[in-house]
Amino acid sequence: MQVGAVLPRFLLVYAALYAGYGLTTPFLPALLSERGLSATEVGLVLAAATGIRLAAGPLAGRVADRLAAGRGVLAACAALSAGSALLYLAGHGFSGLMLAGLAHAAATAPLAPLADALALTAAAAKTAAAKTAAEPFRFAYGTVRGAGSAAFIAGTLAAGQVTGSLGLAALPVAGAIAFAALAGATLRLPDAASPAEAPSGGRGSAGAGLLLRSATFRRLVAVAALVIGSHAVHDAFAVIRWRAAGLTPSTASLLWAEAVAAEVLVFFLLGPPLLARLGPAGALGLAAGAGALRWSVAALTVALPALVGIQALHGLTFALLHLAAMRILSQTVPPALAATAQTVYGTLGLGLATALATLAAGPLYGALGAGAFWVMTGLCGAALLLVPGLRDRATAVSDHRKD
């Protein structure tokens, strides 16, 4: 299949996927509250959803690898995501909405990691073909992931318009439509690894255990978890701090939008040349260093020019880190473990790290105020210390089966 045929199909998949996230995620707490749940009950539903994601993501990845059916599992999960979104309208009371939340979280947890596994496999194949002049140009992963970030922005903006016109209850319906479109678009993708690409010992038989025995994989997850986890205080308390300092809600919204725009810019334009110049480990180091700078400034000031400057660093602390991590995974993980690697990395690695850091953010901010950002700076500093080891350990996961 030519790149020109593959790329639009992946763009459609990522647009539907992240539009679905944008339509359903930001306003979910408000929807649960409108349907009668107390603040405590809303928190319990969201916490339980986080827990089920940590189990559902790796399980779906393992199934996808064992059956060599990444495309089929992604399509099935997308269809389940569409159906489970509507459960928020059918559920009544705490128990009904809890079941709806668990079902939807379990269905949506594998979507992004499975899509990434398919996209990275396709990108690697097309890049190899381009090097032999069999294809006219390369298929860059950053292009489709950037399209996903842009679609998330569009979905979030659309959610605000839909809510204003039709109310919060319309959002699960809109999200269901997006996830159904994702299921349909996924079926038009090329599938991932072929049976011949399975590592010895049976397809996915070692699964997460093989990955976790790889020093490269463990170190990558640690670096990414520290940098992504360092966003916790910002995500939870930045707007509160900005407003306490006198910034208007519209200014706070613009600062938040600037960060997402920087993310899109790095995915589309700046990230690929930086990755090519620095290499994956160097890009991870730049991301960690940018995080240390970002949170240090956040700890010291809420002056608007400084905030404008550090919000732009989100393109490095998230997007560049993600591109570098995906490059290392694509270079070191066998195709027959790609889905497992993505789901373990995304859910048990980043998801668990984010959950733990978010739990710690409240007590830290309560005790230290803006000083909590220094703790986040420390996390990025710890990540920096781990980066050099990735330069020395960039070996395939399959090479560690006997470690």
Side-chain angles (χ1 to χ4, degrees):
M1 187 179 292
Q2 296 294 311
V3 174
V6 173
L7 181 57
R9 298 183 186 192
F10 273 103
L11 289 173
L12 182 58
V13 164
Y14 274 75
L17 169 59
Y18 283 92
Y21 284 157
L23 285 164
T24 56
T25 304
F27 291 88
L28 179 57
L31 175 65
L32 294 173
S33 178
E34 183 180 78
R35 295 188 66 78
L37 298 193
S38 67
T40 299
E41 290 171 332
V42 169
L44 288 172
V45 170
L46 296 178
T50 298
I52 200 70
R53 286 189 189 97
L54 298 179
L59 177 61
R62 181 172 174 80
V63 170
D65 283 334
R66 287 182 66 88
L67 301 179
R71 179 180 58 190
V73 173
L74 176 57
C77 289
L80 290 172
S81 297
S84 59
L86 300 177
L87 293 179
Y88 285 115
L89 303 180
H92 296 283
F94 176 69
S95 59
L97 291 170
M98 173 63 83
L99 289 173
L102 291 175
H104 191 59
T108 55
L111 296 181
L114 290 175
D116 282 343
L118 289 169
L120 288 165
T121 299
K126 297 305 175 183
T127 297
K131 289 180 178 178
T132 61
E135 297 281 3
F137 59 94
R138 297 182 180 185
F139 165 17
Y141 167 78
T143 301
V144 295
R145 185 57 182 80
S149 293
F152 182 86
I153 298 172
T156 302
L157 293 174
Q161 296 299 316
V162 169
T163 299
S165 302
L166 303 174
L168 287 167
L171 293 182
V173 178
I177 293 171
F179 290 128
L182 169 62
T186 297
L187 294 176
R188 293 180 53 80
L189 292 178
D191 211 342
S194 65
E197 294 170 302
S200 62
R203 175 174 301 277
S205 60
L210 175 59
L211 293 167
L212 296 176
R213 287 196 297 273
S214 164
T216 300
F217 185 79
R218 293 196 307 268
R219 189 171 288 252
L220 172 63
V221 169
V223 169
L226 287 166
V227 177
I228 295 299
S230 77
H231 291 70
V233 171
H234 172 272
D235 292 350
F237 295 104
V239 172
I240 293 173
R241 185 166 182 243
W242 296 344
R243 295 189 67 179
L247 273 66
T248 65
S250 60
T251 300
S253 296
L254 287 172
L255 286 170
W256 203 268
E258 180 199 352
V260 181
E263 173 186 319
V264 174
L265 180 64
V266 170
F267 275 131
F268 274 124
L269 297 176
L270 301 182
L274 278 173
L275 195 57
R277 184 175 183 83
L278 300 176
L284 287 174
L286 178 59
L293 173 62
R294 185 180 182 187
W295 310 134
S296 296
V297 174
L300 294 171
T301 182
V302 286
L304 187 57
L307 294 179
V308 170
I310 63 174
Q311 285 299 93
L313 292 177
H314 186 73
L316 301 179
T317 62
F318 175 74
L320 183 62
L321 179 135
H322 185 75
L323 287 175
M326 295 301 101
R327 176 68 60 84
I328 291 175
L329 288 177
S330 68
Q331 290 176 344
T332 60
V333 174
L337 285 176
T340 302
Q342 287 292 336
T343 50
V344 171
Y345 169 85
T347 55
L348 290 182
L350 304 191
L352 182 59
T354 299
L356 294 176
T358 301
L359 285 174
L364 282 172
Y365 194 80
L368 304 175
F373 283 106
W374 288 119
V375 179
M376 303 298 104
T377 299
L379 294 182
C380 291
L384 270 173
L385 295 177
L386 294 174
V387 166
L390 280 171
R391 292 190 177 94
D392 302 329
R393 297 176 180 268
T395 53
V397 168
S398 56
D399 294 340
H400 295 268
R401 279 175 288 175
K402 295 182 181 180
D403 286 3

